[in-house]
């Protein structure tokens, strides 16, 4: 079976991102959804890609742990946001970070910073920033989630609530004009809400794939944070709601 000229492009995009939705693939390639589905069919038949709920992925990605898989999704956008967030933090400052792929990438972007005080419920973030450059890292206690290595629940919230930090930075599972910042897990949403309340500067970081989506659990209203760091300007309705809530929007350069 011959390759379509787009097959190479599809495989290249998957190597960069791991997983990509059919709709996003059609947008990137400038073709219809039906054309994408026709192109994907022979790739799936040969085992080069795996089809899954409106998206496709590399076979190696499907076998990854869920958190590792999410780390690969939209990674260039998340890394750009992480670099922007890191540029707003100075040596010697204190930060609180929740568990999330963008905040984990932010931890990596902070490796050149010195003497940071870091409070987090993420074992990945704690491992990344502890024992380097004179940092102090405080890790919330409790049972660690098997998929993300995050400590959640009452003990984690009670622990971080003792702190007052320069920057409280959380990730978002979804964000829309009507309900604000949302997540798909109750305990993660509760932790994110608690983390924001501890920051003199309250920041949400998210890539554009979360715009307009509705999660399961509300984290906070748009008025409950100060800044939104993204890789693309939000759609008009969300942008207007953010303006009315006095939220500053900063767009990361790719």
């Amino acid at each position: 079976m011959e390759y379509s000229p787009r097959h190479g492009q599809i495989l290249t995009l998957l190597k960069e991102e791991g997983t990509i939705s059919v709709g996003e693939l059609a947008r990137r390639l400038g073709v219809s959804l039906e054309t994408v589905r026709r192109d994907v069919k022979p790739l799936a038949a040969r085992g080069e890609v795996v089809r899954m709920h409106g998206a496709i992925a590399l076979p190696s990605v499907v076998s990854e742990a869920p958190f590792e898989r999410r780390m690969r999704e939209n990674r260039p956008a998340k890394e750009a946001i992480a670099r922007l967030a890191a540029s707003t933090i100075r040596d010697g400052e204190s930060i609180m970070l929740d568990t999330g792929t963008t905040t984990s990438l932010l931890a990596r972007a902070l490796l050149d910073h010195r003497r940071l005080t870091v409070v987090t419920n993420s074992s990945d973030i704690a491992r990344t920033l502890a024992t380097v450059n004179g940092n102090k890292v405080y890790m919330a206690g409790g049972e660690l989630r098997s998929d993300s290595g995050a400590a959640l629940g009452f003990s984690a919230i009670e622990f971080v609530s003792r702190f007052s930090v320069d920057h409280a930075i959380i990730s978002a599972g979804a964000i829309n004009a009507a309900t604000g910042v949302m997540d798909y897990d109750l305990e993660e949403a509760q932790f994110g809400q608690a983390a924001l309340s501890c920051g003199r500067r309250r920041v949400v970081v998210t890539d554009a794939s979360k715009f307009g989506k509705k999660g399961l659990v509300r984290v906070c209203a748009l008025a409950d944070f100060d800044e939104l760091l993204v890789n693309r300007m939000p759609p008009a309705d969300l942008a207007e709601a953010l303006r009315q809530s006095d939220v500053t929007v900063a767009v990361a350069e790719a």
Side-chain angles (χ1 to χ4, degrees):
M1 190 179 295
E2 294 295 325
Y3 275 90
S4 157
R6 286 179 297 274
H7 284 179
Q9 294 174 273
I10 292 170
L11 293 173
T12 297
L13 285 170
L14 284 175
K15 286 175 184 175
E16 292 173 354
E17 302 199 15
T19 303
I20 190 167
S21 71
V22 173
E24 177 65 11
L25 194 54
R27 188 187 71 80
R28 296 271 196 101
L29 298 176
V31 297
S32 69
L33 292 173
E34 284 305 313
T35 297
V36 167
R37 291 188 182 104
R38 284 197 299 270
D39 285 337
V40 166
K41 189 173 181 180
L43 291 173
R46 288 194 293 268
E48 296 182 71
V49 304
V50 176
R51 289 186 284 192
M52 41 190 283
H53 305 295
I56 61 171
L58 293 174
S60 59
V61 172
V62 175
S63 63
E64 290 176 333
F67 187 80
E68 292 303 318
R69 185 156 63 244
R70 293 198 302 273
M71 283 282 280
R72 292 168 59 94
E73 294 172 358
N74 301 318
R75 183 147 182 159
K78 293 175 181 177
E79 288 178 332
I81 296 166
R83 290 192 297 270
L84 174 61
S87 73
T88 68
I89 297 168
R90 294 177 294 186
D91 288 351
E93 291 189 320
S94 56
I95 56 175
M96 186 175 293
L97 301 172
D98 73 345
T99 185
T101 54
T102 305
T103 46
S104 280
L105 291 170
L106 169 56
R108 289 154 174 74
L110 288 168
L111 282 171
D112 288 335
H113 285 55
R114 305 186 65 81
R115 303 184 313 281
L116 296 174
T117 299
V118 182
V119 184
T120 186
N121 69 326
S122 165
S123 59
D124 179 76
I125 292 172
R127 284 194 308 269
T128 300
L129 292 174
T131 73
V132 296
N133 298 341
N135 296 336
K136 290 182 180 178
V137 175
Y138 296 89
M139 171 77 193
E143 182 179 359
L144 296 184
R145 286 277 183 89
S146 60
D147 61 337
S148 63
L152 295 165
F154 173 79
S155 59
I157 291 174
E158 193 275 335
F159 177 81
V160 300
S161 296
R162 304 175 191 178
F163 293 85
S164 176
V165 296
D166 297 314
H167 312 270
I169 304 177
I170 70 165
S171 52
I175 181 168
N176 66 77
T179 55
V181 177
M182 302 194 74
D183 211 318
Y184 298 93
D185 181 278
L186 175 60
E187 289 187 324
E188 289 187 12
Q190 290 172 330
F191 185 90
Q193 184 181 56
L196 280 182
S197 70
C198 298
R200 288 181 282 278
R201 173 189 178 226
R202 303 166 301 169
V203 183
V204 174
V205 293
T206 190
D207 66 271
S209 70
K210 311 301 191 336
F211 293 162
K213 289 189 175 180
K214 294 181 180 180
L216 181 65
V217 186
R218 192 184 199 197
V219 178
C220 66
L222 298 180
D224 293 333
F225 61 98
D226 308 306
E227 299 175 44
L228 178 68
L229 306 188
V230 293
N231 64 304
R232 194 164 70 223
M233 276 301 295
D237 64 330
L238 178 55
E240 176 59 19
L242 289 162
R243 187 191 67 78
Q244 291 184 7
S245 299
D246 293 324
V247 177
T248 300
V249 179
V251 180
E253 294 184 4

